[in-house]
Amino acid sequence: MKISDCDALLAIDVQNDFCTGGALAVPGGEKVVPAINRIAQKFANVVLTQDWHPHDHVSFAPNHAGKQPFQTIELDYGTQVLWPAHCVQGTSGAEFHRDLDVVRPSLVVRKGFRRGIDSYSALFENDHRTATGLLGYLRERELKTVFVAGLALDFCVRFSAEDARKAGLEVVVIEDACRAIDLDRSAAAAHQSFRDLGISVVGLEAFL
Ligand code: VGL
Ligand code: ZN
């Protein structure tokens, strides 16, 4: 695959809490780190996202009496999965994995920092209206294709890829550089959505 200056690599939420031993560990989450570091060498434009919640965030199960992690609640913007408390602002769980290359990226987008709304996507929060600013950045920088990798394939990678595609960008998900939570077949649902929306899925061999 030939990478051009109009391409961006978007590495989603490669943070301690999504890796082994973390508060919301994604199976094999840390395995994306060497893959992302290697691929990032090929890109002139690398963007990181960082899930960045206040301790009283609406998506945390412990903030809802009688609720357990992975149950859902209805909020005014729709159904919200309740998660274990994770990626709390300023904690070590919210830091990037220590081996992630944080030097090459030119932008870090924090998301999920409003108490009352979750943000899976790097572009829009879960109300699908509140912008993070990343779409404006991509447009102003005239970046046309977004390669997406990171955690978790079936939540933040999926929502980011969908929003970028719906905004008219070309989107390529680098499957081997992602890992899924896979709640209630959510990984299969993500793949179906990628097919429906014309989002490409490639493996690491595309970058050899
Ligand atoms: C994520 C659940 C809650 C993710 C973030 O990065 O996929 N999932 N917060
Ligand atoms: Zn989160």
Side-chain angles (χ1 to χ4, degrees):
M1 180 138 350
K2 187 86 185 72
I3 306 302
S4 87
D5 284 350
C6 299
D7 297 336
L9 176 66
L10 181 56
I12 303 290
D13 298 0
V14 185
Q15 293 165 263
N16 292 327
D17 270 342
F18 297 121
C19 296
T20 299
L24 178 44
V26 180
E30 60 285 347
K31 299 217 166 72
V32 306
V33 172
I36 289 172
N37 287 347
R38 190 153 12 95
I39 298 165
Q41 298 299 316
K42 309 210 180 238
F43 284 83
N45 308 292
V46 180
V47 176
L48 303 179
T49 67
Q50 192 172 25
D51 213 34
W52 194 249
H53 301 307
H55 64 86
D56 55 352
H57 195 248
V58 70
S59 78
F60 293 174
N63 294 332
H64 300 269
K67 291 288 184 185
Q68 298 300 318
F70 311 111
Q71 292 182 330
T72 59
I73 54 168
E74 295 305 319
L75 296 176
D76 45 4
Y77 60 77
T79 303
Q80 172 69 50
V81 179
L82 294 175
W83 304 104
H86 64 279
C87 297
V88 174
Q89 296 168 359
T91 64
S92 55
E95 287 172 14
F96 292 114
H97 188 286
R98 56 181 303 206
D99 296 329
L100 183 70
D101 177 359
V102 295
V103 175
R104 194 167 186 86
S106 48
L107 179 70
V108 175
V109 179
R110 286 177 169 166
K111 61 185 182 62
F113 51 77
R114 292 179 181 82
R115 190 195 68 79
I117 181 165
D118 206 1
S119 187
Y120 296 152
S121 162
L123 282 69
F124 293 97
E125 302 197 0
N126 284 10
D127 61 357
H128 302 290
R129 266 191 296 274
T130 307
T132 63
L134 178 58
L135 183 56
Y137 177 89
L138 295 170
R139 286 186 172 152
E140 283 204 76
R141 295 278 323 277
E142 299 183 17
L143 300 168
K144 308 286 189 212
T145 302
V146 183
F147 290 74
V148 194
L151 305 169
L153 175 81
D154 40 349
F155 287 91
C156 291
V157 170
R158 173 187 176 176
F159 278 63
S160 300
E162 289 175 350
D163 279 351
R165 185 75 189 117
K166 288 175 188 165
L169 298 158
E170 293 297 324
V171 181
V172 182
V173 172
I174 310 166
E175 191 176 12
D176 308 338
C178 300
R179 290 292 184 280
I181 297 175
D182 206 16
L183 219 59
D184 205 14
R185 289 188 290 276
S186 52
H191 280 283
Q192 185 60 51
S193 167
F194 297 157
R195 283 190 290 274
D196 293 345
L197 291 172
I199 293 167
S200 309
V201 177
V202 301
L204 283 178
E205 68 281 355
F207 296 90
L208 293 178

